[in-house]
Amino acid sequence: MSAPRAQGAPPAQAGAGEVVPLAQPVLGEAEERAVIEVLRSGQLSLGPRIPAFEERFAAQLGVPYASAVSSGTAALHLALRAIGVGYGDEVVTSPFSFVASANATLYVGARPVFADIDPRTLNLDPAAAAAAITGRTSALLPVHIFGYPADLPAFEAHGLPIVEDACEALGAVHADGTPVGGRGHPAAFGFYANKQLTTGEGGMLTLASAELKARVDSERNQGRAPDMGWLDHDRLGFNYRLTDIQAAIGLCQLDRLDGMLADRARVAGTYREALAGIEGLELPCEDAGGDVRGWFVFVVQLPRGVARDDVMAGLRALGVQSKPYLPAIHLMSFYRERFGHRPGEFPVCEDVAERSLALPFFPAMSEGQVARVAEALARVLDR
Ligand SMILES: Cc1ncc(COP(=O)(O)O)c(C=O)c1O
């Protein structure tokens, strides 16, 4: 494996004038060589790297099957179809997520029913989710937000089908030692450029049975029959294929995965120390009860009463990128208009969403860069 480098990242000793970016993928010569090999092979799609990537990803998580798709959103869509969620159904899910987890429910004609989140983990609160279950609930869709494992055993107790949104959670581990995505439910992973593993765009769906995999593989490829008979599309399908170029990058990224996850955890530890003295600032929750976070982003909660826009502007002036992350889904204009959601419905989520700020976070981030971010934040909050 070639030496990785953070593409476009500032040098390790970033000076005062250099911008500290929010995210940087780790890519290197291995990925470059792999891409060139695919280009030279002439087989850019539906080639051998797709099953190779799927098999290695499944082995990494200890699951029987995985299907590579074009995005995490596509994985969620196909997962909901695979477990039979459809028109008129309700899916209980978190309002504190990237919008795709709720949108996927709408793609299949079902309604996302939100329930509030746990203030520590920021994941769907099991008690609130239980209270939101009705006779029309056909599935639960917990999100492992910011890579922290959702309380799957609590959701499993209801006996309802579950789809896991693990798009942010590669590398996370449940208290019983099971990797997130490895509990037997369809679990969607995303490979956008800021993720723990990237293929530029892309996704993976982990699956427990050969039947589910056959269905997903067909539906990602326009509903083509498993024997790939060109004219026989025996079900409705989509073009959710990953290319061989992306799969080749994914295979190289799997080689690097343990190192990249360890680097992310190291950067998170450095942040904890650097930010510890800032009064009123809340840091991502520590691992507890045996759950292990798969570090994806470093999101802090600003002290109440602080104007986040001003903080972001102050950080920008000091060369530090930041982003409000995440807004509450139910308060987005589309969801308000479509479902009549109003502020006050999910107070924990709304409070967190108003105060959360993602700071620069990537595996190659140096101690100096973390210190610069921490100093800048302390300065801006002190004004
Ligand atoms: C929680 C969550 N769900 C779903 C997605 C969708 O993944 P993608 O952007 O690959 O479609 C993302 C990715 O940003 C995510 O963070």
Side-chain angles (χ1 to χ4, degrees):
M1 194 181 79
S2 60
R5 69 171 184 277
Q7 296 254 320
Q13 299 303 319
E18 283 157 346
V19 172
V20 188
L22 255 186
Q24 284 291 344
V26 181
L27 300 163
E29 285 166 19
E31 282 83 353
E32 287 172 9
R33 274 200 306 272
V35 167
I36 289 166
E37 242 176 67
V38 178
L39 298 180
R40 289 187 179 151
S41 78
Q43 186 144 27
L44 307 192
S45 196
L46 294 171
R49 284 157 188 90
I50 299 294
F53 184 34
E54 290 172 340
E55 280 160 28
R56 277 198 51 204
F57 193 88
Q60 175 85 25
L61 266 72
V63 296
Y65 301 99
S67 290
V69 289
S70 54
S71 69
T73 309
L76 287 167
H77 185 189
L78 296 186
L80 287 167
R81 287 178 58 87
I83 63 164
V85 177
Y87 281 93
D89 288 340
E90 292 180 355
V91 175
V92 175
T93 191
S94 173
F96 190 64
S97 174
F98 184 63
V99 69
S101 53
N103 283 350
T105 299
L106 295 175
Y107 297 166
V108 296
R111 179 188 174 125
V113 173
F114 298 115
D116 213 344
I117 58 169
D118 178 284
R120 187 185 78 85
T121 66
L122 313 186
N123 281 323
L124 186 60
D125 175 2
I133 292 172
T134 72
R136 286 183 301 278
T137 306
S138 58
L140 307 179
L141 202 165
V143 181
H144 305 280
I145 202 70
F146 304 158
Y148 197 83
D151 187 354
L152 261 289
F155 299 122
E156 286 161 355
H158 298 288
L160 286 161
I162 291 175
V163 165
E164 296 179 48
D165 183 336
C167 285
E168 302 190 350
L170 186 57
V173 184
H174 289 286
D176 67 357
T178 319
V180 161
R183 292 184 73 86
H185 315 291
F189 290 85
F191 302 145
Y192 178 68
N194 64 348
K195 295 294 192 299
Q196 289 94 332
L197 178 159
T198 187
T199 57
E201 296 280 358
M204 192 73 81
L205 185 57
T206 57
L207 295 159
S209 76
E211 292 72 30
L212 284 179
K213 177 161 171 63
R215 174 170 179 171
V216 167
D217 287 358
S218 169
E219 291 190 358
R220 75 177 168 190
N221 191 22
Q222 307 286 14
R224 227 193 275 189
D227 67 0
M228 301 288 281
W230 174 239
L231 291 175
D232 190 13
H233 295 246
D234 59 0
R235 66 175 86 231
L236 177 67
F238 310 86
N239 180 353
Y240 283 166
R241 294 186 300 265
L242 194 75
T243 66
D244 270 51
I245 302 169
Q246 291 167 308
I249 297 171
L251 283 163
C252 299
Q253 292 272 294
L254 277 176
D255 288 337
R256 302 188 190 287
L257 185 60
D258 290 347
M260 292 193 295
L261 290 172
D263 282 342
R264 283 181 185 268
R266 173 188 53 76
V267 174
T270 310
Y271 256 127
R272 273 199 199 290
E273 283 174 28
L275 296 173
I278 302 183
E279 213 186 305
L281 188 74
E282 290 171 43
L283 305 185
C285 73
E286 302 253 19
D287 292 347
D291 287 330
V292 180
R293 189 192 296 268
W295 279 98
F296 165 55
V297 280
F298 200 90
V299 176
V300 295
Q301 308 290 311
L302 297 178
R304 288 192 178 77
V306 166
R308 183 171 55 187
D309 285 350
D310 294 348
V311 172
M312 289 172 57
L315 289 175
R316 199 178 312 121
L318 293 169
V320 172
Q321 292 187 348
S322 64
K323 188 169 155 187
Y325 194 78
L326 291 151
I329 298 176
H330 67 288
L331 297 182
M332 293 179 180
S333 47
F334 171 72
Y335 278 85
R336 281 190 197 222
E337 282 158 28
R338 175 97 173 245
F339 297 107
H341 287 299
R342 289 289 170 268
E345 280 181 82
F346 308 110
V348 181
C349 166
E350 291 166 27
D351 175 54
V352 168
E354 270 174 21
R355 296 189 295 127
S356 54
L357 189 70
L359 301 177
F361 187 70
F362 46 93
M365 204 171 169
S366 68
E367 283 187 21
Q369 286 175 311
V370 173
R372 254 195 70 198
V373 175
E375 279 158 28
L377 188 58
R379 239 172 94 184
V380 170
L381 286 174
D382 204 32
R383 280 179 191 157

